[in-house]
Each structure stands twice: as C-alpha cells, then as structure tokens.
Amino acid sequence: MLLAPLACAVFRAIFLWRYHTHAIPRRQLLTCFHYGFWWGMDFNAYVFLILLLCVSLPSAIFPSVRPFADGLRCALVTAYLGILYLAFIGKMIFYDHFHDTFNVTIHLGIHADKKNFADIFFHQHHGGLVLLGIPVYLAICVLAARALLMLPHLPYDMIAPPDGAARIACNVLCFVSAIVLFYWLRYGGTLNHRKKPEWDEVPPLVKEDAVLAKATIDDLIALELAWKKRVSDATRHSDDEARRYLAPILPENYPPHTDNPLPFFQQLAAGPRIARPSHIFFLLGESHAQAPLDPVYQRLGLMEASLRFRANPHTVSFPHFLSAGMISQPSLVSLLSGIYDADMELNENVSFWEGCLPSTLPIQLNKLGYRTEFWYGGGLNWGSLDHFVPKIGFDAWHAGPEICGADAPQTWLGVYDHIFLEEAAARIKASTEDGPVFHFLYTTSNHGPYHMPYEKYGFDLSRVMKDAPEVARRIAGDKKTRRRMASIWYADQALIRFAERMKQDFPDSLIIITGDHSFGALPYEYDVAKRREPTIREAVLTSFAMYHRELTPDMLPSKIGGHMNILPTLLELIAPQGFSYLSPFTPLTQPLSHVVTPYCWETEDTIGDFRSGEAQPLKITDGPLPTEHLVRFQEERDALCELTGWYVRHPELLEQR
C-alpha cells in the first residue's frame, strides 16, 4: 500500500519542479508533502482495504489461494498505480491550459471535440512519449512491488496461539485492528471524521503559495472534488448565448456585441442622505436569521439583544430580506464581489486570486477614501480567503486565531464570537490609521455541533425564555435543542455587544448587521408556531438592520430587500452627488417591486423558491400557509447567474491590482 502515497509524492515533486517559479522554503515544502500525504490517504487507504479483503483474508481461509497471493497483490497495486499515473498526466495537461488543478471545467469535456483533444495531446503535450512511458512506469511499479514482497516478514503463526478460543480471539482482534487501521489511514491519521483533511484546512503556510497549495491536492482527490461540483449552465454558454440570457437585466444603452457587460451597470449617486461616517461596520453573523426575530418567536427571547438594537429610532430593519446564498461561502463572496457568486465559487477560482471585478465592495469604498479591513473569526485559509480577500481590494485582513492567539477558545470554525469581537474592538479603537475606515467582520460560532459552554457565557434558559415557560420546560430536557437555542442567543449577544460598543466609541458610525444565511434550528417540534415545519420565508430569510444617528425609516422606503441591495444602498447614503459606482442592483433608497437571487424570489406579497418551484404568501404567521407551484422572474434569475458566468469564462477581463 505504501507504494501509492510514494507515487503521489513523486508526482507532487514533479508538478512543483515543472510549475513552481521560485525556491520554496524547506518548512513550507515539508508541510505541503506532509498534509498532502494524509489527505491523499482518503483514496490510498483503499489499496490497503482491497488487498486485505481480496488477498489476505482469502489466503488466510483458503490455503489453495496462498501460492497466487503475491501475484494478485502485485497486479492490484500496479493497476492502482497505473490509474495514478493517468490522473497525474491529465492534471499536468489541465494545469498547463487552465493554470489550475482539476476543476468543474472537466464536465465540459464530455461534449467537446474529441479529435481536437487528441490533436492537442499528441502535438502539444508529447502524447506519444506519454503513452510509451506507461509500460516503463508499470514495469517499475511491478519491480517495486515485488521487491517489497521479498522483504523478510514475521509469519502470523509465530505470534498467534495455535488453536482454540485464543486463536479465534487473536484472529478477531487482528481483523478488527486492520479495519480500525484502515479508517485511521483514510481519515488522515485520526479516527475523528470531523478532523479529516480537506481544502479549507490546508495549513496557511502552504496555502499562501498558490502553486504549492494546488500541489497539496493529490490528483484523484482533485478529480473527486471537481466531479462533485455542479457546473453552472452559465459557464457552458457561448458569448452569443450569454448575451441573450443577459438581455433582461442589461441597460438600454448596452451595445449588442460588447465583450464586457459589467461597466454598463454604472449608477450615479443622488447625493448623501447622512453625514459621512468616520467608521462603517458591516457585521455578517453566522446563521443570523430573521425567523427568531419574528413576533411568533420573540417570546423565546433568543434575539433580545437584536430587538434592543432595533428599538432605536435610527435603526432601520427589514423583516423580509433574502440572502445571496443558501450557505456561507456564496453569501460572503456575493456580498464582497458586488455580483452573485451563484455557487461558482469565485473565491476558489485561481483567476480571482490574480484579478478582481471592479464591482467589489472594498474597491468602491476605496474610491470614496475609505481604508478597508476584513476580520474573520476563523482562519483565512477557509474558502481561500487568504488569496481572495487581498485581491478584491481590502487594505488589511485579520484572522481570529492570529489576533486572539492560537490558544484562544474556538470551535472547529473559529474563535468564540465574543472573544474575537472584543479583540477586534480593542484593536479598532487603538488604531492610529488616518481617514475613514470600513470594517467587514464575519463571525463563526453559531454553527453545529454546538459544544460551547453557553451557560458560562450567560445563557440561562429559564431567564431567556421566561415568557415561554412551557417551551423552556420541554427544551430543558432536550440537551441538543437547548444547545441550539443557546447558540442563537449567544451569537446575537456577542454581535450586538460589539455594535453597541462601536456606537459608543465612534458616535458617527454607520452599522450594518445581517446574517450569511437562514438557520433551521428553531424548535418547531415543540409547537412554538403550532406546526412542525418552517414556511418558505422562515427557511430562507436572513436578518438585516442598519443604524446611523441620522438614519430614519423614510430614507429606506422599500418593504423587501436582499444582500445585493446593501452595496448600492450604502453608497447612496454616503456618496457625493454624481459619484459613479457599479452595481446591477437597486438601492433600498428606492422602493423595490421584487428581489431575485439564484435560489429564491420575493415580491411584497409572495415568496418563491426556484429549486422546488413552490411559492407561499409572504407573511409572518403561526399557522401553515398555502403552497402553490409558481415560478416568477426566471429570466432575471438566469441573467444574474449569466453575468457571473461571463467573468468565469473570461478571466482576462478581471482588473489587475
């Protein structure tokens, strides 16, 4: 089995020799190979399992198999090593063309011109030599396998009892130990599946180098990750097809054959509604959803801090606010990019590590003179933020474990919210940087498996749910649900405590609070809302509130909104008249007739889900709602996704910074 990770290490070294352009520090190189070895075991461990089940066990049970056992081992291992060779050659060719290891583009090859593939392979990538290398490589593999099999070994009969119950017990122990060993290898040197190596956990030391980070991924791992990702239809279209899809959202002055659509979404600010704030705080709370803020659930007391914050007459909040993504990554990336990520993972696309869209939030605030800083409670290797965040215009970036210390209490996602935000607040107050500053802060704690010591940080079920004693009594006996409820309360407390401190330290602050996506953890099973399932609205809406000492509700007259309306709203509130900015979306300073995301849509009276094709009345209720099959704004939805797809297909249009 050891031949498999050895071959992967050799291929990794060849890849780095071919594509790395500068010397790599020894510690960085060793970390790459160490992490790559354990991650590669996700596949390579199966060699051990297959040899155990197909050779070792039959040999132990049937003596007639033993003479053929080594030959069978040799054949199976060599076949697997041959697969590794083919995957490696494919990866090298793919990287040469796309400057990336295998990604979702491989799906597009199914319908590509196979003759063109063959021509490229043989005339551009020395295909003849590659094919001639196969028998030579396999011969080396056979010799290596036979050499290992010829090494002296200790016969099992010498260490196992000869017969009886002891022999059976020893056999069972060896078999069970072998299975445990398989899982230990497959999970990367641990039996805890949660700690299994994956892309987000690649050490920052390695991930700060783009080529080294890609080299860490064994070829079969890269193929698996690419194959599991859904290819957006927008990335399959030709430019002419894309222009037809874009038509519903394009301005009237859009030239029919332009090659760069985004500049035509230019808007001019009408003039400032509020005095220019010295500090802007954009707080993105993990799973900070709208449903716990609804009157139906307010008696649970889980969002008492947010309700206090929203009670200020200069805080404007929206009860019907759509997130830009159904999970964290697309929501965050969309908010920062100024266009929907639409599950195309712009942050993981190497092209967006090297260039950026002119519509990004920090770039447009830079033009207004703001210094921009990004704060994340977790490590910046998550979602390749260490590559993506600097490129989109932020002037500084901070990770929770770095600013709070490696020993700071943290979940598997990041430092506890209150510790992270307190440290961020202290550093912000102590900063001596001149000029106005924009701070984007993203928390992590409101996330499973909910193992934080919530009571230690102030959660008292009987006090929090004093207005719902029956629900509190039932939840008290359900540890899992109690922790979920405690997590909602704790995260909200930490978020609002930070906001209130910033209001006090910087009285002219503009503060935006929203969640990355909804949160399906409300205790429907306890009949809080007289039903057992959430409405569409409760399942998909996130929170939104904005504060400034001069802000009034009439400045934001819309009744509905979404994440992508925040950027133009912010600029319309503070930018001078005539300031030019890019956004395909309408600011909340104007009434909106509807909001469309890649996943959902809403009007003032209806909300729908593109994925299920279902729609319900947009209302807050403690009872069931009628559901109908209704899809609206499909063309607008497809156009918004097509806009993102255009820049995925045309990375040469990205700006170099």
Side-chain angles (χ1 to χ4, degrees), residues 372-385:
T372 55
E373 300 198 20
F374 181 86
W375 307 75
Y376 177 51
L380 293 178
N381 57 327
W382 176 80
S384 298
L385 295 181

Side-chain angles (χ1 to χ4, degrees), residues 3 73-74 77-78 140-150:
L3 287 175
R73 286 190 178 96
C74 235
V77 169
T78 302
I140 295 172
C141 293
V142 171
L143 291 174
R146 289 177 65 85
L148 285 176
L149 290 169
M150 290 173 66

Side-chain angles (χ1 to χ4, degrees), residues 27 220 397 442 491 518 577 620:
R27 180 165 169 259
L220 293 184
W397 41 93
Y442 186 21
S518 187
Q577 184 177 5
I620 301 171

Side-chain angles (χ1 to χ4, degrees), residues 207-270:
K207 217 169 184 181
E208 66 187 23
D209 186 307
V211 177
L212 201 62
K214 294 297 183 181
T216 307
I217 312 174
D218 277 355
D219 305 326
L220 293 184
I221 299 288
L223 270 172
E224 179 193 34
L225 293 175
W227 199 255
K228 285 182 176 179
K229 292 179 181 176
R230 176 186 171 274
V231 180
S232 171
D233 292 338
T235 61
R236 304 173 185 264
H237 298 149
S238 68
D239 286 357
D240 287 339
E241 290 174 318
R243 292 185 186 98
R244 289 196 293 272
Y245 277 101
L246 283 168
I249 63 170
L250 290 174
E252 293 181 0
N253 63 339
Y254 179 80
H257 297 293
T258 187
D259 293 327
N260 191 5
L262 196 52
F264 292 92
F265 292 98
Q266 184 184 72
Q267 300 191 50
L268 298 178

Side-chain angles (χ1 to χ4, degrees), residues 15 19 90-109 112 116-117 120 124-125 214 235 348-352 354 648-649 651:
F15 174 82
Y19 289 113
K91 189 267 293 288
M92 294 291 282
I93 295 173
F94 193 92
Y95 195 91
D96 192 58
H97 286 273
F98 298 101
H99 203 59
D100 194 8
T101 53
F102 295 119
N103 58 38
V104 292
T105 309
I106 63 172
H107 289 272
L108 307 180
N116 188 43
F117 274 169
I120 292 172
Q124 189 174 340
H125 296 287
K214 294 297 183 181
T235 61
E348 298 287 13
N349 189 321
V350 176
S351 298
F352 289 81
E354 299 168 351
V648 172
R649 290 186 295 106

Side-chain angles (χ1 to χ4, degrees), residues 204 374-382 385-386 396-425 427 440-445:
F374 181 86
W375 307 75
Y376 177 51
L380 293 178
N381 57 327
W382 176 80
L385 295 181
D386 46 353
W397 41 93
H398 316 275
E402 293 177 5
I403 65 172
C404 300
D407 57 345
Q410 54 189 285
T411 68
W412 66 283
L413 278 175
V415 175
Y416 289 177
D417 285 358
H418 77 284
I419 297 174
F420 161 61
L421 291 173
E422 285 173 4
E423 180 62 27
R427 290 176 177 242
F440 190 102
L441 300 102
Y442 186 21
T443 62
T444 62
S445 294

Side-chain angles (χ1 to χ4, degrees), residues 153-193:
H153 59 276
L154 188 66
Y156 183 64
D157 288 340
M158 290 184 61
I159 59 173
D163 51 31
R167 175 75 173 205
I168 295 173
C170 187
N171 290 345
V172 171
L173 177 63
C174 285
F175 180 73
V176 171
S177 298
I179 297 300
V180 171
L181 176 60
F182 162 71
Y183 280 105
W184 183 78
L185 290 171
R186 183 169 179 263
Y187 290 168
T190 176
L191 292 176
N192 186 344
H193 183 269

